[in-house]
């Protein structure tokens, strides 16, 4: 039994959820995959999978083995690529995690260009606004806005995300246009945004010259996902600060109105972040360079 082939078969069964789909993805007969998994279990002397007629589930030992095996296979593929002129033609499976609005409005519309340029890279695009454990979840890199909390990771700054304060025309017609940030504490409503890991609502911040105001205002609706946040503002639940690239198309179409245009807030720095052991991977380097160029060209993602 080739241990690499057996390990790869096991990883595919776990990811596919059954032997049939795993065999199809590996272009192997289902019986061959079954024999490879059986031989692997005999080799490690641990039951890795629970099998029934309808489904396959991973045992606790199998889950632990999967995490290590997936990481080892990723490193093995990177090693092979680096030894076979992969700088010119990187290949392999690339696991990227991106915030939801960034994925929808920036990455996905341009991703075909990356796939055309690197046809041998298979992109697994995770879309979430929650923090991601790159090592634990075996993610190659993430694109995130905000200050970096884990200094053990490698980060490349690729731009910034400025904000625009907006509301729907229906909301302004009903409640009027605020003239000062302090008005939001009086007769106005806001749409809140809270962190997925702590449920802490982010404050609304306003800067004008040397004046800086931070408001923790009462909200009727608060969400933890950027597309839902924008949808809540469009639905008229209140005023809020949205990233400019997300709000700008709706302002142009008259679906949102800019509020307090003389006041700004600090933009968020945007980084591509990856574990230190991945920094020489040709496929990761290809994506990082592509993302940096994409952000540099975007009119609402000023690069500093």
């Amino acid at each position: 039994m080739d241990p690499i082939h057996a390990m790869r078969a096991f990883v595919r069964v776990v990811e596919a959820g059954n032997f049939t789909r795993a065999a199809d993805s590996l272009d192997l007969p289902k019986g061959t995959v079954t024999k490879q998994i059986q031989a692997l279990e005999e080799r490690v002397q641990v039951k890795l999978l629970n099998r029934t007629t309808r489904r396959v589930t991973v045992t606790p030992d199998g889950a632990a083995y999967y995490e290590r095996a997936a990481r080892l296979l990723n490193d093995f593929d990177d090693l092979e690529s680096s030894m076979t002129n992969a700088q010119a033609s990187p290949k392999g499976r690339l696991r990227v995690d991106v915030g939801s609005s960034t994925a929808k409005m920036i990455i996905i519309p341009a991703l075909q260009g990356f796939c055309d340029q690197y046809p041998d890279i298979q992109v697994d695009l995770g879309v979430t606004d929650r923090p991601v454990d790159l090592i634990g979840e075996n993610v190659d890199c993430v694109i995130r806005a905000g200050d970096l909390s884990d200094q053990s990771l490698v980060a490349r700054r690729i731009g910034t995300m400025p904000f625009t304060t907006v509301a729907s025309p229906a909301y302004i017609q009903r409640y009027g246009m605020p003239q000062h940030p302090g008005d939001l504490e009086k007769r106005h409503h806001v749409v809140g945004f809270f962190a997925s890991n702590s449920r802490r609502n982010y404050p609304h911040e306003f800067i004008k010259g040397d004046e800086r105001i931070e408001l923790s205002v009462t909200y009727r609706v608060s969400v933890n996902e950027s597309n839902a946040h924008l949808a809540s503002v469009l639905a008229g639940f209140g005023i809020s600060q949205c990233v400019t690239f997300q709000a700008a198309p709706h302002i142009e179409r008259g679906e949102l109105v800019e509020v307090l245009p003389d006041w700004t807030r600090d933009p968020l720095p945007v980084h591509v972040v990856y574990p230190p052991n991945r920094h020489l991977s040709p496929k990761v380097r290809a994506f990082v360079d592509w993302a940096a160029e994409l952000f540099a060209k975007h009119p609402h993602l000023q690069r500093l």
Side-chain angles (χ1 to χ4, degrees):
M1 177 195 72
D2 186 325
I4 294 295
H5 289 165
M7 187 183 299
R8 199 179 297 278
F10 169 72
V11 168
R12 289 304 301 133
V13 169
V14 173
E15 293 172 344
N18 62 54
F19 282 82
T20 300
R21 285 198 296 267
D24 290 343
S25 69
L26 294 169
D27 197 23
L28 292 173
K30 179 181 176 182
T32 299
V33 173
T34 300
K35 290 179 181 178
Q36 287 179 329
I37 300 300
Q38 291 172 343
L40 178 63
E41 289 180 321
E42 292 176 4
R43 179 186 179 89
V44 299
Q45 297 184 338
V46 169
K47 187 175 184 181
L48 302 174
L49 299 172
N50 289 316
R51 308 164 180 81
T52 67
T53 56
R54 294 187 176 182
R55 59 181 302 190
V56 175
T57 58
V58 186
T59 67
D61 287 330
Y65 187 88
Y66 167 78
E67 293 297 331
R68 295 288 300 277
R71 193 170 300 129
L72 285 170
L73 287 172
N74 184 79
D75 291 342
F76 178 77
D77 290 341
D78 286 345
L79 176 61
E80 281 204 326
S81 295
S82 66
M83 300 301 290
T84 56
N85 198 27
Q87 297 293 345
S89 181
K91 62 181 179 180
R93 186 178 182 185
L94 177 68
R95 301 186 180 192
V96 181
D97 194 273
V98 184
S100 55
S101 60
T102 303
K104 178 182 178 182
M105 300 187 68
I106 299 174
I107 299 297
I108 292 176
L111 191 59
Q112 185 63 56
F114 177 81
C115 294
D116 289 344
Q117 187 176 356
Y118 302 104
D120 294 325
I121 295 180
Q122 177 187 356
V123 180
D124 288 359
L125 186 65
V127 179
T128 177
D129 286 335
R130 68 172 178 82
V132 173
D133 179 359
L134 277 77
I135 304 298
E137 299 180 43
N138 196 32
V139 176
D140 290 303
C141 64
V142 302
I143 296 177
R144 282 292 182 268
D147 295 327
L148 300 176
S149 57
D150 190 342
Q151 300 302 315
S152 68
L153 301 174
V154 180
R156 175 175 172 181
R157 182 162 172 164
I158 61 173
T160 62
M161 286 187 181
F163 288 86
T164 303
T165 306
V166 291
S168 71
Y171 176 88
I172 296 300
Q173 184 176 8
R174 181 175 181 181
Y175 294 99
M177 180 71 74
Q179 302 302 310
H180 186 272
D183 294 342
L184 302 187
E185 294 182 310
K186 301 172 183 177
R187 58 182 180 273
H188 283 279
H189 302 285
V190 302
V191 177
F193 195 100
F194 64 89
S196 299
N197 56 343
S198 67
R199 301 194 67 84
R200 179 182 67 87
N201 271 274
Y202 295 105
H204 283 64
E205 300 174 349
F206 295 90
I207 303 171
K208 184 179 181 181
D210 295 331
E211 188 175 3
R212 181 182 291 264
I213 299 173
E214 181 175 307
L215 303 175
S216 296
V217 291
T218 303
Y219 57 85
R220 288 189 295 178
V221 174
S222 185
V223 299
N224 68 341
E225 193 272 335
S226 53
N227 289 317
H229 178 247
L230 177 65
S232 298
V233 179
L234 287 166
F237 284 106
I239 297 169
S240 200
Q241 293 175 317
C242 298
V243 288
T244 301
F245 79 80
Q246 195 179 21
H250 298 280
I251 295 174
E252 293 172 2
R253 293 194 293 264
E255 299 163 349
L256 290 177
V257 177
E258 188 172 0
V259 177
L260 301 170
D262 294 333
W263 293 81
T264 62
R265 68 172 293 166
D266 290 330
L268 294 176
V270 184
H271 298 88
V272 182
V273 185
Y274 42 98
N277 65 320
R278 307 283 173 87
H279 74 285
L280 292 178
S281 166
K283 63 185 179 183
V284 174
R285 181 180 299 160
F287 182 82
V288 170
D289 289 343
W290 174 82
E293 183 178 359
L294 177 65
F295 273 62
K297 292 179 179 179
H298 198 286
H300 299 303
L301 297 169
Q302 295 92 336
R303 191 174 173 202
L304 302 179

